[in-house]
Structure formats: C-alpha cells, structure tokens
Amino acid sequence: MNAPCAVVLAAPGTNRDHDVAFALGLAGAEARIVLLAELVAEPTLLQRAQMLVVAGGFSYADALGAGRMWSLALSHGVGDSLTAFVAGGNPVIGICNGFQVLTGTGLLPGALGHNASGHFQCEWVRLEAPASRCVWTRDLAPVECPIAHGEGRYVHADPAALAAAGQVALRYAGHNPNGSVDDIAGVCDPTGVVLGLMPHPENHVLARQHPRHVRGAVGGLGLALFEQGVRYAHER
Amino acid sequence: MTLVAPSFVAVAPGARLTIRTKGPDPRAAGLLADAHALGLSRVTAIDVADVVFFHDALPVEHRTSLEAVLVDPLLQTASWDAPTGGIETELLPGVTDPTAAAVQLAAATVGLPAITVATGKHFSIAGDIEAADHAALARRLLANQVIERWGDAPIDPHFIDADAIADRSVDHVAVRTLDDRELLALSSERGLSLDLAELHAIAAHYRAADREPTDVELETLAQTWSEHCSHKTFRARITTTHGREVTPLLRQLRDSTDTIAAPSVRSAFVGNAGIVSFVPGTTIAVKAETHNHPSAIEPFGGSNTGVGGVIRDVMGTAHHPIAITDILCFGPTDLAPDELPEGVLHPRLIERGVVAGVADYGNKIGLPTVAGAVLYDRGYTANPLVYAGCIGVAREAAELPGPQPGDLVVVMGGRTGRDGLRGATFSSATMDATTGDVAGASVQIGDPIVEKLVIDAMADCLGLYTAVTDCGAGGLSSAVGEMAEGVGADVDVALAPLKYPGLRPWEVWLSEAQERMVFAVPPAQWPHMHAVCARHGVEATALGTFTGDGMLRVRAGDLQVLELDTHFLHDGRPQRSMVAEMPAPPRGAPAPPECADHAATLLALLSHPNIASKERIIRRYDHEILGATLVRPLVGARHDGHADGVVLARPTDLHGMAIGIGVNPWFGLIDAERMAHSVVDEAIRNVVAVGADPSQVALLDNFSWGDPRRHTTLGDLVAAVQGCCDAAEAYAAPFVSGKDSLNNEYLGSDGQRHAVPPTLVITAIAHVPNADATVTPDLKEAGNALVLVGSTAVEFGGSHFGHVHPELRPADWTVPAPDPAAPARYRRLHALIHGGRVRACHDLSEGGLAVALAEMAIAGRLGVAIDTLPHAHLTTALFAESNGRLLCEVAPQHLDEFLTTVGEPAMVLGTVTDDPWMSVPGCTVALDALVAAFTGGSR
C-alpha cells in the first residue's frame, strides 16, 4: 500500500509542523512540510496530496487574533484550491492555530476566543470522541495529550444544534481547561472530512511522552487519531 | 551626538477603530487586582479595548473591508467612533509593533492602498476616583512610559514619520587635550561608562593618530570596552587588601576547565556559547545570559529580548536551538505600596511582565521553556534579575574557519531601527530613580516570529558561510567588530535595511534592534544563501566585505564615519586593576537551633514563596513542543510536583540530556565561597536525581553581583569564583561558558546604594544514557523504602529555616560545607538509577529533609511513615540544608542491593504508605495540609 501524501502547511510563525510531520510519518503517511508562500506560488501542490494538515503555532504572531492573518492569506491566496481539496473529500485537519485558521476561513463553524483564564496554558487533557460525522475520530479511544494555547475557548451560538448535526468531534473529559462551550475540544465540517481541534495529539505519539509514563501510565496515544486519518485517506 | 526621540508627526483627524471583546475581557480582572495591589483600592472595575489608529480618514468602503478583517463578530464588537472618558495609551512610534504591521499586511491582502497605522488601548475605569488617581493608574499600571504614551481619551495618535531625512553628518569629539576631570565629564555626559585609565588609552591612541575620534568611533570603543561586552572585572588584575595577587577570575575558570580536561568539551569560554559532545556525531551548545536592567524598567520587553538574545547566542555557534531555561528573581510580590523605592516598578508588575515576556518569546518561537527557578527576596525589589538560557544541537562538523578576506559581511533577519541604543553601556551602569525615564531607547520589544524564520533559514544555510555571530549588545558595532578582529572589514551602513527612515549612521551602527545575525559569506555562496533566505521570507543583505588589512572601516555611502585598528579595538583596553577585601565568614561549630513546633515550621516552609508551587508560572510556558520533554518541570500523580531537573530526548533518540539549576543567594550573603560550592553541588544533584550520568556534566556560571569597585563586593566575587573552580574540579564537571552581570545596584533617593544579594546561577547540562530510565521525585508505591544518602550536620546559615524563624537566627550560623564524598556517591547512585533500582529520587535543598519528604509525598499523593532520622537533634535532622544529600524510594526487593552499592552514609528512614499522612517523629502532618500549604490552596 502506498503511503498517502500529507501536506503539512506552515505559515510564518507555525512551529509544530515538524512535530505533526513526525506523527504522520509514524502513522504511515508521507508528510511534506510546505510553506504557505510555496503553496500560494504553486497551488497545484495540493492536487498531488491526499491529506492536508494546518499545523499549530503562532502564525503572524497572533496579531489581530490567533489565526486571523493566516486565514485571510489562505482565503485570498489559495481559497479555490482549498475548497476543491475539501470538496474532493480529502481529509483535512487543523490543530491549535490550524483550528483557529480553519474557523477563520469558514471551513469550520464557530470561533476560538481567549481562554477563560485570560492567559496561555500548557497542560495535559483527556479527550473523548462522541459519535459524530468526523472521519478522523471514528472509533477513537480516549486520547491524552497536551494543550498549549492562549486562545482556545471554543465559541458557538448553538452548540446543541452542532452536536445534533454530528459535528462535535472531540470533548474535554473530566476537566475543561479553557471555558469552551459544551466542553468542545474539536469540531468537524458538515461532511466530516475537516477536523479542527485545540489540543496537540502530535505530542503524544510515543508511550514515553506521557507525563505519567514513569508512574506506569499506558494508552491514550494521540497517534491513533493520525492513524485513523491515514486509514481513511488510504481506503477512500 | 545626542540621543534623539524617534521622529513622528501628530495628525488630528485620521480614523480609529476601537475593538472590544464580547463578554468580560480576560485582561480586566488582572488589571483590577494589580490596581488594588498598588494601593488604588477605590477602583472597582477596569475595562480594556484595543484601538487601531489610522493616519488617514478612510473612505467608508475601506472601513468596511478593514472591519471585516479586523473584527470577528462571534468574539468582538467594534466602533469607528472615538470613546470619551477613560485613558488611552499608544505605543511610541518606532517601538516594535507586530499588530500595526499585521494591519498593514491585511489591508494589502484585501487589496487596499498602503496605509499608515499605530495601535493602542482604551481603558474605562469605574469607581470613586479622582483625576489624580487616574493619572497614578495610568503611570503606574496602564502605560509603561518607556514604550508607551498615555492621555485622556480620545488620545491624539502619533505616527512614525515615513519621510524623515537622515542627518548624515559626523561629529569629531575632542579628547586629545582634555584633562582628567574633562575626560570623566565626557564619559558621564555621553553615557560611555568608561573609567579614567580607559579614557587615557583612547586619548593617547588619538594623539598618536594625530586626529580626534569621530562620535561613531568613541561610541564603538565604549560599547566594545563595556563591562557587558569585555568583562573588565573578570579579566582584571586583582590584589587583596592583604597584598595577595589573585589570578584573573576568567583565567581561573578557564584553568579549572583545562585541568579537568573532559573529553566532552569542544569549546569553552570562546565565542557565543559553550559546546560539548556527549554522543559521537552530535554537539550541544549551551549558554545563559542575564537581562536585568532592561527587565527592571520594561519587564515584558526586557525578559522578551533576553530570551531572544540568548537563543541568538546559540544560533551564533551554528547550533539549532531546542530548549530555553529561565531563572527569575523578584522582590516580594506582596510588598506594601509605600515601601516601594522611588521610580521602581512594583515587584508584582515586574513579575507579571517578565513572565509574560518569557512566555511570549518562547511560546511563539516554538521552543520548550523547560528548566528554571523563581526566587523572591527584598534585595531584588529595585533590581530584579532575569537569567535566560538556551540549549542547541548540531551535527558534529568541522569548526567554521572564520571570516576570510573577500567574504561578504551579511546581515540577516530583522530590520534596523533606533531600538536599544547603548544597551551595553546602560547595562553596565547603576540604576536610580530616573533610570526608567532616561533609558527608554535602551529597551526593545522582540519579534519572535522573525527569529523563528532566521532559525529555519539557517538550518538550510549550513556550509554556506565561514563565520556567524549574533547582533546583541552593541549591535553591528559588536558583531562586525568581533568578527573583523585581525581581519578587518569595510561596511556601508547606508545599505542596512531600516524599519523607518531618518537614522543617522551611528544609530544604524549601534542599534540593538533584535533578531539579527551577521555572517561572513564567500561571494560564490551568496546567491544560494540569498535564495534560501528569500524562500523562508527572511531579509538578508550584504553590507560590505572582510578586507584582510586588520582595519575596521564604516561608511555611510561615500562618507567614512569610522576607521579603527581592530587590534586597538579589542586589545587596547588597559587591564583594570582592582582591590578585593576577602570575606571572613563564620566557619565554626554553632549550637543547633531549638524550634518549638516542627509541624508548623514545615507548613510555613512549604508556603514560603521560594518553596511553594510555581505552577501558576510554569504553565504559562509551553514545555511540550518538540515532543522531547520527558521529565517535565511539573511531575507526579497530578502533575503538580516540582521536578529536580528536566530531561530532554528527541523522539528518535534513546539517549537524552538533563538540565539542572543551582542557585542560593542566601548562602551567598554569608559565605560566597561555600555558596558557590553548594550551588554547583545542587545543580549536579538535580541532574543526577533524574537519571543523568555525573561523569558527563558541563556547567555554566552566571554571576549577578553588586558594584565590584567596592572592595568587599569584589572579595565576595573572588571567593565565589574560588568555590566554583574547587567544585568543578571536585566533580570533574567543567565550566564551558559563563556571563557576569555586575553593578546590579540601585541608588536610592536616600543616597544609599542597594546591591542585589550575590546571585550565582549554575546551570548543569548532563548526559542521560537511557531516556527510558528517568526518575522523578513523586512517590510511586506504598511499601517501598525511603533511603537518605549523604550526611546531615548542624548547617543552617542562609537556610530557609532561618527565613521562617528569624528570631532563632544567630550570627554564627555556617553555610553548608562542601561534601568531599559527594562526587563518588553520585556516581554510585547513578549506576543504581540507570539499572532501574530507584523508583523516585529527590534532592535535599531549601527546607532540608522535612520539605523534601513533603514534596515527594505531595507529588505522589502518598503518605510516608518515618521512624529513623539522620541526626540526633530533631530540628537539625528535619531542616538543616547540608549538601550532597538525596532521598530515594527503593522497592523492598532491591533494598539490600541499593544499600550495598550506594555505600555509606545511607540510612533507611522509613516507608511509603497509602495513609494520607506524613508521619515523622516530632512532625506529623496530614497530606491535605501539606498540599494546601504548597499550592496555596489552589488544589
């Protein structure tokens, strides 16, 4: 089986592109980091890919609000290719800043506001995947992984309708770290191929990365999410 | 040549957009709490909004498309009308403003014509307050006048003048005929921070050259010869008041490294950072710096650029940065407002700004901020200390050859502005009540995204350059000046890309604008390198060439503004002669203290700011990025115990590296030599405790001290260096780099000088042979034995027991002595940890055994039952701070092997239990009470 090709998109200030590329490699994809300017110069790069990752970080230093500038550049630079890629049913994932960007482009519903604490937080969370349309979280066992963000409070006018539509893909279990409405950690688009989430499953792809590994903690690998995405990209 | 304010023009009409968060703004609650802490108790609410000022009155359709870009209707509301009432602030023109840059980029993206923008904030204030309170609030909390201006809303915005014309004239400064008084007056007037011998050397040099120096030359010499850049004290000839000649301090440290002759050392005390190699094929660069003075007057910008600067130090050794460390020293955050010295920011605001500055740079540049410490003492109220460190890795490669004649002088990264002029001389001077007002231009705000792009570009430029260094203190003058040493260079500052026009040649040459690196690039490689930079969106510009004639020449177009022999620039400074009065600390055998209530003492220690949880700060930093942080700063059953050290291992590596910190200024106040030995021991203990090999350790020294021209202050420094060298040799742990920040003093309006406590920070970096065999301090399992290794003595000098019991503190308490058996003990313990025979390990430091036991219990949420104590005297057993001690949790089946291998002195104190109690003879406390004291009740 050929490894699906995953484009990991990076804008100025993206900084978890290498982490997610490593995770995708472990999950069986062939990941390629592409700079936003390169994609704008050659939008056909997307046509050769089967997966797209909008990676985390501080694109444009979060100026004007996290993800705002990147979503603007994406919409104006490669909006048509992106729409075509999604319409083609290819799996897309936006992590942290990537989630903020995808809500900014309108591909995902809602918005991400400042954490209820008012500041950046780095801590581990537990995620559960309710039944949803999302192709990335199908049959996903609970995942444990870190958050690292200051603007991760998910805001949506009608979270009940979103859940009823099968678009709530991930919820914080036990502890909601940032005041997100309805404990929502990740949402998908109406087709289920585009997922956005604030936590970083790419930072828990090896057992030893778990903070309680020395206390015998096992399971909860974020790798499973990428494996599911790769499986979907391969089988569709 | 006077320091001029950035040029700006005030414009009346223009347009402005005020953007408010829907619902409570997350900044509001913090501001209100700060206002109350500053004594402005009648304020009942502060609301904050962001403001974008436009130079031009924009057509309606432009306003509409800008608002669509700038405002997210789900999160924000916005208005084009100016609010009345309240206070507004605006960033001063020329201060780095990424938001303004983003607005301009956004406007261009949606197809609007070029616009001129400034940004600020609007504050609404509620409460029974008068105009005077308004002003106090603005000055002390809402606006930092170093980088912002404020006024009653609506403020009249200022914009950078995009059409300013540079004055390219060059002044010559008469020095040849000045007498001593006039020379000193010149130094003072221009803020040169040069002493008389140095001024004489400069005057003599120009008499021989038969001309006067240009202003640029004088300023360049002052920067290069500053304490900050040339370490006058550490290179000085020192004589004690008893007539003993002391080997120069830097020489002592280098000699000790040479004596140890560790095979891991690749480069020590040369260039920007120390370089070691623990594993064939990989080298590690490590460096720590201070950014104390800037952090005192603009805490966010000071710590922000401190982090950015030390990352560039590592980049300047062609290594790829992988982690950041920070050690912060503040005054008490609950200091009563009326105890605050004049012109000094409240420690609470300094802490808030410094932590935000570290977090902003580290999080945005994408490096984990992993190891550190936070200390509180009244001695840091006017002089907070900010140490930032960076670790980088590279494939082991041939050393860079250095600039070759004909190579291009290339500057890469951020543009040059008036930021941070004269930072090196500023940081070498004493602060006083006016420092914040006059030193504005010495402080900068960083732009971590630009530095991130430079890191990425450099990763693709390996092999394309012959030398690299960072632009730090002194800017291009230091960077090019250092690289040109012995080779010479010819540079045209008119070619440097500028943030805004109007800079004079000396301003370009000396600007400390951030995020710039200087390279020597063979002309054949330049097109390739330029293309790599363009791909990453990084600006790179050739400013001139390395010449080969040993002369440094700086031009602005055709006009030559500097011509200096690089030998004079680097070797012409006369060696300073200094006098040290050596300390005579108590070294006797004092009586142990008698404490009435040991349980209450333990709880007081756990809630002492220096020992209590730092989680509220640590969680502001991303320590997860790169997926390499295996032992995190916070560990345990609920991730809220403090780790001794941290372990980093790249996901693809089996081995890793540990980082540990040692610092104890309270020891230093009593006995600087023993303090130095103790903090080296502590740093090494901390890396051993997490699984590092003590035979593969390298050290950094960072001294923050008072004015060394005071004989006793220098005496303490000499004693501390002696302690460092003795310890390094005892542990065979070489120093590979260091930095000294002297003159950390505040001249109070009372005429008294207030120096910081002698603060030596030791950073240990060590090899972890098996990243899967790390150990953390949290207790793991009931039934395991608790074993103390090391000896306990009546050592309370500088102890935290003394902090919580000042009434029991006699003058003759001794600082813990070196433990000559510690190095061998650590090696034996490491073998046991490496072999998986230790379930938990924690070093004994502030608060002694009782605090260490409590911290292990808290982190593991398990109890302990202790029946044996290591000293017959209860208070000594529980709270003495003797060196060389670690507490280990060992499974019963491994206990005999552990005791046999680790050797004497080792003592089984008791066991781990499921009972939620810390049960110790004379000191039994419920686990809940320990947790509450440690966390301040937040858990």
Side-chain angles (χ1 to χ4, degrees), chain B residues 758-792:
Chain B
T759 309
L760 166 63
V761 171
I762 299 291
T763 306
I765 181 153
H767 180 54
V768 176
N770 181 359
D772 288 330
T774 59
V775 175
T776 53
D778 44 307
L779 295 177
K780 303 297 190 301
E781 193 174 354
N784 287 340
L786 284 165
V787 187
L788 177 69
V789 298
S791 317
T792 304

Side-chain angles (χ1 to χ4, degrees), chain B residues 150-452:
Chain B
W150 66 275
D152 291 329
I155 201 173
D156 188 16
H158 292 137
F159 299 90
I160 197 83
D161 180 0
D163 303 314
I165 308 279
D167 173 357
R168 287 203 170 168
S169 64
V170 176
D171 294 338
H172 283 81
V173 183
V175 299
R176 291 179 295 178
T177 54
L178 301 187
D179 64 21
D180 289 359
R181 192 186 50 80
E182 291 165 332
L183 282 169
L184 287 170
L186 177 75
S187 173
S188 160
E189 181 190 308
R190 289 179 172 265
L192 302 177
S193 291
L194 294 169
D195 72 10
L196 199 53
E198 291 154 359
L199 292 161
H200 282 162
I202 291 170
H205 177 79
Y206 283 96
R207 275 194 296 271
D210 199 23
R211 67 177 176 95
E212 297 289 5
T214 66
D215 49 1
V216 187
E217 289 169 349
L218 199 55
E219 203 72 44
T220 299
L221 284 163
Q223 293 284 345
T224 308
W225 291 8
S226 69
E227 182 71 66
H228 187 90
C229 291
S230 74
H231 308 286
K232 302 181 203 196
T233 300
F234 269 65
R235 294 175 196 272
R237 176 171 175 271
I238 298 173
T239 315
T240 69
T241 45
H242 291 91
R244 179 168 68 90
E245 189 86 17
V246 177
T247 308
L249 303 178
L250 187 55
R251 165 63 42 204
Q252 289 188 45
L253 288 160
R254 285 183 171 170
D255 285 350
S256 81
T257 296
D258 291 346
T259 303
I260 295 163
S264 60
V265 176
R266 292 288 175 279
S267 166
F269 295 107
V270 183
N272 290 303
I275 300 175
V276 295
S277 176
F278 297 132
V279 178
T282 303
T283 56
I284 301 169
V286 53
K287 178 65 182 273
E289 270 279 12
T290 49
H291 227 211
N292 302 336
H293 283 29
S295 302
I297 61 165
E298 211 299 87
F300 180 93
S303 69
N304 196 249
T305 53
V307 172
V310 80
I311 294 171
R312 286 197 305 283
D313 277 331
V314 163
M315 294 159 69
T317 61
H319 280 63
H320 192 81
I322 60 162
I324 297 166
T325 65
D326 68 325
I327 294 93
L328 313 175
C329 306
F330 303 120
T333 53
D334 58 355
L335 190 76
D338 57 4
E339 290 185 61
L340 196 64
E342 194 187 335
V344 170
L345 293 173
H346 193 279
R348 181 186 169 97
L349 298 189
I350 293 180
E351 180 191 71
R352 189 185 68 179
V354 164
V355 169
V358 172
D360 179 82
Y361 214 100
N363 295 345
K364 286 182 177 169
I365 204 167
L367 293 172
T369 301
V370 290
V374 190
L375 286 65
Y376 301 91
D377 189 274
R378 280 182 172 271
Y380 300 123
T381 300
N383 281 98
L385 303 181
V386 174
Y387 300 78
C390 182
I391 294 129
V393 293
R395 277 204 202 105
E396 189 149 31
E399 228 176 292
L400 292 173
Q404 306 296 306
D407 285 355
L408 299 171
V409 179
V410 170
V411 61
M412 181 195 294
R415 293 187 157 212
T416 300
R418 287 197 180 86
D419 336 37
L421 287 168
R422 294 173 169 164
T425 45
F426 165 57
S427 69
S428 305
T430 301
M431 311 218 293
D432 62 26
T434 65
T435 302
D437 297 332
V438 302
S442 292
V443 178
Q444 322 103 59
I445 306 289
D447 188 343
I449 305 306
V450 171
E451 194 151 302
K452 163 81 167 63

Side-chain angles (χ1 to χ4, degrees), chain B residues 25-36 46 141 348-349 352:
Chain B
D25 189 287
R27 295 169 288 191
L31 286 170
L32 184 63
D34 286 341
H36 290 169
I46 304 178
L141 179 62
R348 181 186 169 97
L349 298 189
R352 189 185 68 179

Side-chain angles (χ1 to χ4, degrees), chain A residues 39-220:
Chain A
L39 185 64
V40 170
E42 197 191 340
T44 57
L45 280 173
L46 264 191
Q47 291 169 12
R48 300 196 286 274
Q50 288 81 51
M51 303 174 76
L52 174 66
V53 181
V54 187
F58 283 86
S59 57
Y60 302 93
D62 273 3
L64 308 181
R68 197 79 58 88
M69 291 301 296
W70 192 1
S71 59
L72 191 65
L74 211 52
S75 305
H76 282 261
V78 290
D80 294 345
S81 318
L82 190 60
T83 311
F85 190 79
V86 172
N90 297 292
V92 176
I93 186 171
I95 305 173
C96 196
N97 191 223
F99 184 17
Q100 296 157 341
V101 169
L102 292 180
T103 60
T105 61
L107 277 174
L108 289 174
L112 283 313
H114 285 278
N115 294 352
S117 67
H119 54 70
F120 183 96
Q121 289 164 256
C122 177
E123 61 190 76
W124 275 58
V125 294
R126 185 176 170 86
L127 303 173
E128 286 175 2
S132 78
R133 293 175 172 277
C134 182
V135 303
W136 291 84
T137 57
R138 202 167 282 165
D139 304 323
L140 186 72
V143 165
E144 295 191 25
C145 66
I147 58 161
H149 61 242
E151 298 181 38
R153 178 175 51 89
Y154 186 69
V155 177
H156 190 280
D158 191 352
L162 197 64
Q167 288 182 253
V168 174
L170 291 164
R171 281 202 177 88
Y172 298 107
H175 170 59
N176 177 344
N178 51 25
S180 290
V181 65
D182 199 21
D183 297 336
I184 292 172
V187 298
C188 65
D189 73 333
T191 71
V193 296
V194 183
L195 169 67
L197 75 166
M198 286 312 298
H200 291 288
E202 72 273 30
N203 285 141
H204 186 202
V205 295
L206 305 173
R208 75 179 192 189
Q209 288 173 328
H210 194 290
R212 292 192 311 280
H213 177 60
V214 291
R215 300 182 65 82
V218 288

